[in-house]
Amino acid sequence: MAGSASNAPEWSVSELSSALKRTIEDAYGYVRLRGEISGFRGPHSSGHCYFSLKDEGAKIDAVVWKGTYARLKTKPQEGLEVIATGKITTFPGKSSYQIVIDQIAPAGVGALMALLEERKRKLAAAGLFAPERKRPLPYLPRVIGVVTSPTGAVIRDILHRLQDRFPRHVLVWPARVQGETCAEEVAAGVRGLNALSAGGPLPRPDVIVVARGGGSIEDLWGFNDEDLVRAVAESAIPVVSAVGHETDWTLIDLAADVRAPTPTGAAEMVVPVRAELLAIVHDRARRHEEAWLRRVERLRADLRSAARALPRPEDLTATQRQRLDLAAARLGPALAANARAYEQRLAAASRLLDRASPRVRLTRERGRLDALAERPGRALRAGLERRRDRLEALSARLVAGRGRIVALERARIDHGRKQVDACGDRLKSLAKAGVRERRRALASLWQLAESLSYKSVLSRGYALVRDAADRPLRAAGDIAPGAALTLEFADGRVAARAEGAGEPHAPGPQAAPAEPVERPSQPPAARKPRPAPAKAQGKAQSKAQGSLFDL
């Protein structure tokens, strides 16, 4: 009843929309509107273009009909600031107003695009878009990390495409892909997937996909955030950017390792087609088997050809076998000649050692020493005899002479006796010195004999083999089987018996064992004073003998 009593006219929705359309068109008509083109995706399938004009505070829908778009000198571009001329009207189907554009003139780059270009230059100068930073994607990742909205159609498209191509384990990091917190949540997702450890409860992904569906530049503005771009550039895991459609570009597309035109294209990039891989593997296995069979057959044919061309084994070794027989025939005489040559050299060395034997030299020096030891005694006795004869003659003269002469001669006799005693003492000292000198020479010869004796060789670990007659044996061929042997070591002798016949061998250039040297029963003193020079010793002896004879 209240409705029927009202005086307000009753409008239908269509009537009101038409009235508003007429009112707006009559009030404004044609206008020139300045704004930034946003949401332009190119002509629709019908040929018309739909987008928006915006500034810092408002946005209005815009339409360019198909015929008008063909006549435009300046075509619409995303982010381009333009001056559009057209008619303001309404669209009853949405109860919204819009501008139907007839002409477009450029008015400069839009504010958002200018900000985007400035940020792009800054990040490019920091090296975040450098091509050398790009890394190849793994051929077949085990785990794929996806940063996107878990409720949108994008994740379903990616999972469906992965299931069709090559099912893989997918780890989804939920994040808002539009709005004020979009950049912060997506950057946290990229860093969170990088922080996963390989052996942790959640597997570490091999590749990361940042995905979102299409939208206007305002919808995708969060993916131009500087912190998100740096998070993508710093990722240790390869990143695939799949934001928007193929015509949409954001800064993470430049920082990512690979840009995909769509989220579905990203799924195709990260995994190959399993059926194609199986077909390729089967085809290559078949080709490999056929190639191997062909190669085996070719090698078998080559082997048969080479076998026909090869000479017989006995022909190959005939010359070498003949040379071996000739060498074997010459080997016996050559070994015998070599043994005779070494035997002659050994006999010559033995004769040389016999002539220069330390034992012969020691005997000769001992005889000389004995002769020299007897000379002072004979000279002393001869001198004493002469002095005694002179003294007896002087005594006879004294007896016959006078008393004065007797006294004088007695004094001379006393003086002469004293000189004789002094000379005797000097002769004794000289004789002792000569004996000491000969003893020192004898000690030196003894040391030389010791160094050349075979016993010094025995002291170094060797043994001298003697037969039953105590003769040294110099060759293994001189020993008869079962012969009684005596092995002489440095500290004694040991009896032994030969069990087998000795086999002669070519003697090497080694010295023959020396003949045993007889030792004196009493070794000389180890060290003696140095002997006086022979010339000085001879002068002293001559002086002593002269004084004895002048008495």
Side-chain angles (χ1 to χ4, degrees):
M1 292 180 63
S4 61
S6 174
N7 294 327
E10 186 175 86
W11 296 76
S12 66
V13 176
S14 299
E15 292 174 348
L16 180 59
S17 296
S18 300
L20 291 175
K21 178 180 178 66
R22 289 192 298 271
T23 301
I24 291 177
E25 290 178 350
D26 293 340
Y28 293 96
Y30 278 89
V31 296
R32 298 179 72 242
L33 193 62
R34 183 186 183 99
E36 179 184 343
I37 296 177
S38 174
F40 179 71
R41 297 292 180 268
H44 195 264
S45 60
S46 62
H48 309 312
C49 298
Y50 302 97
F51 53 92
S52 301
L53 292 176
K54 67 177 182 178
D55 58 8
E56 292 82 357
K59 180 172 71 171
I60 184 173
D61 294 337
V63 180
V64 179
W65 303 124
K66 179 179 180 180
T68 305
Y69 181 80
R71 297 192 304 268
L72 290 178
K73 295 182 179 180
T74 302
K75 302 296 183 182
Q77 296 181 14
E78 178 69 16
L80 182 64
E81 189 174 1
V82 298
I83 297 176
T85 303
K87 183 176 65 174
I88 300 297
T89 183
T90 63
F91 178 55
K94 292 178 60 178
S95 298
S96 61
Y97 62 95
Q98 60 186 10
I99 179 172
V100 180
I101 298 175
D102 291 334
Q103 295 179 359
I104 293 178
V109 181
L112 290 178
M113 295 301 295
L115 177 61
L116 182 62
E117 288 297 326
E118 180 183 359
R119 186 174 296 172
K120 178 180 178 181
R121 287 193 297 272
K122 175 183 175 182
L123 296 176
L128 300 184
F129 305 151
E132 55 269 15
R133 294 176 58 93
K134 309 297 183 183
R135 292 159 297 183
L137 300 180
Y139 182 73
L140 187 60
R142 292 176 299 176
V143 181
I144 301 173
V146 181
V147 181
T148 187
S149 172
T151 59
V154 171
I155 186 62
R156 291 193 294 272
D157 292 343
I158 292 176
L159 294 177
H160 177 72
R161 195 60 179 161
L162 291 176
Q163 186 67 28
D164 290 344
R165 291 175 65 87
F166 207 120
R168 297 279 87 186
H169 183 77
V170 179
L171 187 63
V172 180
W173 189 287
R176 290 186 178 91
V177 293
Q178 185 175 344
E180 296 180 357
T181 62
C182 166
E184 181 180 354
E185 293 185 12
V186 174
V190 173
R191 292 191 174 100
L193 292 176
N194 276 272
L196 295 177
S197 59
L202 289 178
R204 179 183 174 88
D206 299 317
V207 64
I208 297 175
V209 178
V210 179
R212 187 204 186 281
S216 64
I217 190 172
E218 293 83 4
D219 299 335
L220 305 179
W221 187 252
F223 295 92
N224 295 317
D225 184 75
E226 181 176 352
D227 182 63
L228 175 57
V229 173
R230 293 186 180 276
V232 171
E234 295 168 358
S235 173
I237 304 173
V239 178
V240 179
S241 173
V243 177
H245 299 298
E246 187 171 1
T247 57
D248 297 324
W249 279 88
T250 59
L251 292 182
I252 70 165
D253 295 333
L254 304 176
D257 297 289
V258 176
R259 177 188 179 269
T262 60
T264 304
E268 296 175 355
M269 286 181 176
V270 296
V271 294
V273 180
R274 187 173 183 272
E276 294 178 359
L277 287 179
L278 291 175
I280 291 173
V281 170
H282 292 158
D283 179 66
R284 291 185 178 179
R286 178 185 57 79
R287 292 171 59 189
H288 181 269
E289 184 178 0
E290 293 175 355
W292 176 251
L293 292 176
R294 288 194 301 271
R295 178 172 175 81
V296 169
E297 186 61 30
R298 185 171 62 253
L299 291 177
R300 186 179 290 113
D302 295 342
L303 182 60
R304 286 195 295 266
S305 301
R308 288 192 297 269
L310 285 175
R312 295 180 304 169
E314 53 270 16
D315 295 339
L316 291 175
T317 59
T319 304
Q320 286 75 10
R321 189 164 57 249
Q322 186 177 2
R323 292 177 59 186
L324 180 61
D325 294 340
L326 181 61
R330 295 170 57 187
L331 180 61
L335 289 177
N338 190 26
R340 285 194 299 271
Y342 275 101
E343 186 176 0
Q344 292 173 2
R345 290 177 59 185
L346 185 62
S350 178
R351 288 192 299 271
L352 181 61
L353 285 176
D354 289 340
R355 286 196 300 268
S357 174
R359 182 172 54 187
V360 174
R361 190 175 175 186
L362 183 62
T363 304
R364 186 168 54 250
E365 292 297 330
R366 183 180 295 142
R368 290 180 58 190
L369 182 60
D370 294 340
L372 290 175
E374 293 176 357
R375 287 177 60 185
R378 289 197 301 267
L380 180 60
R381 286 192 296 271
L384 290 177
E385 288 295 334
R386 286 194 299 270
R387 290 327 187 250
R388 186 179 293 109
D389 294 340
R390 291 181 64 185
L391 287 176
E392 290 177 354
L394 289 175
S395 298
R397 289 174 61 188
L398 288 174
V399 171
R402 297 178 180 179
R404 183 177 61 84
I405 296 174
V406 171
L408 181 60
E409 291 298 332
R410 186 174 295 169
R412 289 181 63 189
I413 289 172
D414 294 336
H415 180 69
R417 185 179 289 112
K418 292 179 181 180
Q419 287 185 348
V420 169
D421 295 337
C423 288
D425 295 338
R426 291 174 64 187
L427 285 175
K428 290 179 180 179
S429 62
L430 289 174
K432 292 179 179 180
V435 171
R436 286 194 298 271
E437 178 63 23
R438 298 309 176 188
R439 285 181 177 174
R440 283 194 294 271
L442 182 59
S444 300
L445 292 175
W446 175 258
Q447 292 178 357
L448 178 61
E450 284 289 331
S451 63
L452 297 176
S453 175
Y454 74 101
K455 291 187 178 294
S456 61
V457 179
L458 297 182
S459 63
R460 295 198 298 271
Y462 293 87
L464 178 62
V465 181
R466 298 177 184 271
D467 57 8
D470 204 27
R471 290 175 299 183
L473 299 176
R474 293 182 173 84
D478 298 337
I479 301 175
L485 304 176
T486 301
L487 303 182
E488 182 177 355
F489 296 92
D491 57 347
R493 297 190 178 188
V494 177
R497 186 171 298 278
E499 293 183 358
E503 296 181 2
H505 64 279
Q510 59 183 1
E515 287 289 337
V517 179
E518 295 297 334
R519 293 189 183 180
S521 58
Q522 296 295 332
R527 297 184 62 90
K528 296 295 183 177
R530 296 183 58 186
K535 185 176 181 181
Q537 183 177 357
K539 287 183 178 180
Q541 186 173 1
S542 300
K543 184 176 178 182
Q545 292 178 356
S547 61
L548 180 62
F549 293 134
D550 291 340
L551 178 60

